[in-house]
């Protein structure tokens, strides 16, 4: 059964806590990203955990292995459930993240790798020295590389999840943003899928922000998405 993660794209701890309370019992998992974490730091993670929720800390680490290892350990101590790294940080960095996470045993943070940012096209890849591969080929190669070196899963677009979930080993996590319930506003997302399609294609976690955060009735909006996920 896939899980719904609400992207807590707000600017303050107070707003974050108010949103989590307003969304209520229906949602048990929240994503804290760069904007909120840079503004409020670990206190906001603790506040969401104190409300009994799971936390996906999406800071996309990319640094030397020792630094990433220590950052993952800090996340583990905060009780974070999912964390992100960039797969282009290399094999040693990915393994360092996985090893640090493993120290937390059954309650370990799962490590998710970003393959290619969805904002990058073929020219952007060439600009950073990745020549002769399309973004799709690079996504597929980096996915195998990251999971092969110990990542628990991948962040991927709804367009990629079908092929990746077939190609990678059983138990790999697939976290998919860009999800829009049928008929919802797309916003700035270019390639979207409905919750039902994403789950059918193999997504294990869906990340949804504005369709719930900006809804007049966030409880009903979340319930509708959960229903679509179970279809
Ligand atoms: O509001 P919306 O549902 O578009 O929010 C999606 C969330 O997922 C945002 O926090 C966004 O930064 C994140 N995300 C994304 N696309 C990616 C990676 C992350 O939309 N490729």
């Amino acid at each position: 059964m896939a899980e719904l993660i609400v992207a807590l794209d707000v600017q303050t701890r107070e707003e974050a806590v108010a949103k989590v309370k307003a969304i209520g019992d229906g949602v048990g998992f929240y994503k804290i990203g760069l904007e909120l974490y840079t503004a409020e730091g670990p206190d906001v993670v603790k506040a969401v955990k104190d409300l009994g929720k799971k936390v996906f800390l999406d800071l996309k680490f990319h640094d030397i292995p020792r630094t990433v290892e220590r950052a993952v350990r800090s996340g583990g101590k905060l009780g974070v459930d999912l964390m992100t790294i960039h797969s282009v940080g290399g094999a040693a960095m990915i393994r360092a993240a996985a090893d640090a996470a493993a120290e937390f045993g059954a309650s370990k943070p799962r490590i998710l790798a970003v393959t290619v940012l969805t904002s990058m096209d073929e020219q952007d890849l060439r600009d950073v020295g990745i020549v002769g591969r399309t973004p799709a080929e690079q996504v597929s190669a980096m996915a195998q590389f990251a999971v092969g070196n110990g990542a628990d899963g991948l962040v991927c677009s709804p367009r990629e999840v079908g092929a990746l979930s077939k190609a990678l080993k059983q138990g790999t996590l697939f976290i998919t943003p860009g999800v829009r319930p049928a008929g919802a506003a797309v916003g700035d997302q270019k390639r979207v899928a409905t919750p039902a399609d994403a789950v059918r294609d193999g997504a294990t976690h869906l990340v949804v922000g504005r369709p719930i955060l900006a809804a007049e009735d966030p409880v009903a909006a979340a319930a509708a998405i959960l229903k679509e996920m179970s279809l």
Side-chain angles (χ1 to χ4, degrees), residues 13-227:
R13 180 174 171 278
E14 288 69 31
E15 277 177 273
V17 167
K19 285 289 182 195
V20 173
K21 286 185 176 162
I23 294 166
D25 293 339
V27 174
F29 220 141
Y30 286 88
K31 178 170 89 73
I32 294 174
L34 279 171
E35 180 187 4
L36 180 57
Y37 192 80
T38 304
E40 296 283 5
D43 278 354
V44 70
V45 175
K46 287 182 202 146
V48 176
K49 291 293 296 185
D50 285 348
L51 291 167
K53 307 300 183 185
K54 291 195 254 186
V55 170
F56 167 15
L57 187 59
D58 185 19
L59 302 180
K60 299 186 181 69
F61 296 144
H62 183 184
D63 210 315
I64 58 171
R66 180 176 186 274
T67 301
V68 169
E69 175 192 318
R70 290 173 163 233
V72 168
R73 198 171 287 131
S74 296
K77 285 182 189 158
L78 279 173
V80 162
D81 301 277
L82 293 175
M83 299 178 90
T84 39
I85 59 171
H86 273 288
S87 53
V88 286
M93 190 203 82
I94 299 166
R95 280 199 299 270
D99 289 348
E103 292 168 13
F104 295 87
S107 62
K108 77 177 192 130
R110 309 274 154 176
I111 302 298
L112 308 172
V114 174
T115 55
V116 179
L117 292 170
T118 48
S119 53
M120 295 184 84
D121 63 16
E122 201 158 344
Q123 181 59 49
D124 293 315
L125 291 184
R126 259 183 256 129
D127 289 344
V128 296
I130 298 161
V131 180
R133 270 188 192 162
T134 63
E137 287 164 349
Q138 177 72 356
V139 165
S140 156
M142 294 314 283
Q144 297 283 359
F145 175 71
V147 172
N149 281 292
D152 297 294
L154 301 158
V155 180
C156 58
S157 87
R159 294 284 173 92
E160 296 159 353
V161 70
L164 291 177
S165 64
K166 284 188 195 84
L168 287 150
K169 68 179 184 202
Q170 196 93 24
T172 303
L173 304 178
F174 296 96
I175 283 68
T176 311
V179 175
R180 289 292 178 268
V186 170
D188 58 357
Q189 295 283 10
K190 293 204 175 81
R191 293 176 287 149
V192 298
T194 65
D197 285 338
V199 172
R200 209 173 298 126
D201 284 344
T204 58
H205 297 75
L206 306 190
V207 175
V208 180
R210 287 161 290 181
I212 295 173
L213 286 189
E216 235 163 79
D217 182 346
V219 176
I225 291 172
L226 286 164
K227 188 166 172 232

